Amino acid sequence: MRDGAVRWLSPAGFFTLRWWEWGPADGAPVVCVHGLTRNGRDFDALAQALGAAGRRVICPDLPGRGASDWLPDPMLYQPPVYIAALSHLLARIDGPVDWVGTSLGGICGMAIAATPGHPIRRLVLNDIGAFVPQEAMARIRDYMGQEPVFPDLASLEAHLRLVHAPFGPLSDAQWQHLAETSARRADGGVALHYDPAIARPIVAQEAQALDMAALWSAVRLPVLLIRGAESDILLPETAAEMAARPNVELAEIARAGHAPALVDPVQIALVAGFLARA
């Protein structure tokens, strides 16, 4: 694993976006983008497997997460700003890429794939689609209102096992790895590795359904749509409607909700097989 960084321009000035990279530097690039409160290390297992197969896998930490810079204005923590940061990364890569996006990372991928001249060749949407119901958005809003600090890593891991149970069945070693890559020092203990201010734009307003049908209608490239069988974010009817298009493959992951962790060998093989197609 290597790390990398690019300076990107936001409305508040220049900041640094950092990423984690696997595989040969001259391999065909895959960009993996994490969910709302997560970071690029979530893709370690997938990236290691794809890298071993010859792909260059780049897993950025979105602004305010992981090793990337925090932003001075909390209201900048919104998808258009994340897309601006990711666009600087794509310009650095300067060529076609495949995209794996979990939740928020999938929203960013859809938005870029809907833009004329985009570089995305194939798109994996992990438990995110054209519509997110109001009830699910309210659950996210309530969760984001918390800013817990834990006395030690074991307590943080216990919290992750509870709130991220929908990731699916993970081994003890996988939960431990998730905790270790999700922690930062804070107030004499440890906290989740993101700026608590990322919640500000979400909790500042009442939860509303997220309708991205217009965005989705402009996505024409091959898509693998992954749905956790128990997900409240990507409803079965939304997934079925999206999969009615000939360029979309739908895969449902049993015993998972929002969102499948993509650490299981079967899930990794699913993504790798889709990305390997000509």
Side-chain angles (χ1 to χ4, degrees), residues 55 98 121-122 271-278:
R55 303 298 301 266
D98 290 336
R121 186 185 74 103
R122 285 179 171 264
V271 173
F274 173 76
L275 297 181
R277 294 175 202 161

Side-chain angles (χ1 to χ4, degrees), residues 205-229:
Q205 57 186 341
E206 291 298 320
Q208 298 180 5
L210 184 59
D211 189 345
M212 297 177 285
L215 193 68
W216 170 246
S217 67
V219 176
R220 298 298 177 189
L221 71 168
V223 175
L224 172 61
L225 181 62
I226 299 174
R227 178 180 183 270

Side-chain angles (χ1 to χ4, degrees), residues 30 46 49-50 53 55 98 100 121-124 222-224 226 249 251 264-278:
V30 182
L46 176 64
L50 293 175
R55 303 298 301 266
D98 290 336
V100 179
R121 186 185 74 103
R122 285 179 171 264
L123 175 64
V124 178
V223 175
L224 172 61
I226 299 174
E249 301 177 31
D264 178 272
V266 174
Q267 297 173 27
I268 291 173
L270 173 69
V271 173
F274 173 76
L275 297 181
R277 294 175 202 161

Side-chain angles (χ1 to χ4, degrees), residues 175-276:
W175 281 117
Q176 182 179 0
H177 178 75
L178 194 71
E180 290 171 348
T181 57
S182 298
R184 61 178 175 85
R185 296 187 182 277
D187 299 330
V190 291
L192 295 171
H193 208 339
Y194 60 81
D195 180 359
I198 67 172
R200 201 79 59 82
I202 297 172
V203 301
Q205 57 186 341
E206 291 298 320
Q208 298 180 5
L210 184 59
D211 189 345
M212 297 177 285
L215 193 68
W216 170 246
S217 67
V219 176
R220 298 298 177 189
L221 71 168
V223 175
L224 172 61
L225 181 62
I226 299 174
R227 178 180 183 270
E230 301 167 16
S231 175
D232 65 339
I233 296 287
L234 179 56
L235 299 178
E237 55 268 32
T238 302
E241 183 177 349
M242 294 173 68
R245 285 170 33 176
N247 63 312
V248 180
E249 301 177 31
L250 174 61
E252 190 165 273
I253 306 300
R255 301 174 64 195
H258 183 76
L262 305 184
V263 297
D264 178 272
V266 174
Q267 297 173 27
I268 291 173
L270 173 69
V271 173
F274 173 76
L275 297 181

Side-chain angles (χ1 to χ4, degrees), residues 16 41-42 44 72 89 109 147 154 172-173 226 245 255 261 263:
T16 299
R41 297 297 304 277
D42 281 8
D44 280 4
L89 171 59
E147 298 180 14
D172 288 344
I226 299 174
R245 285 170 33 176
R255 301 174 64 195
V263 297

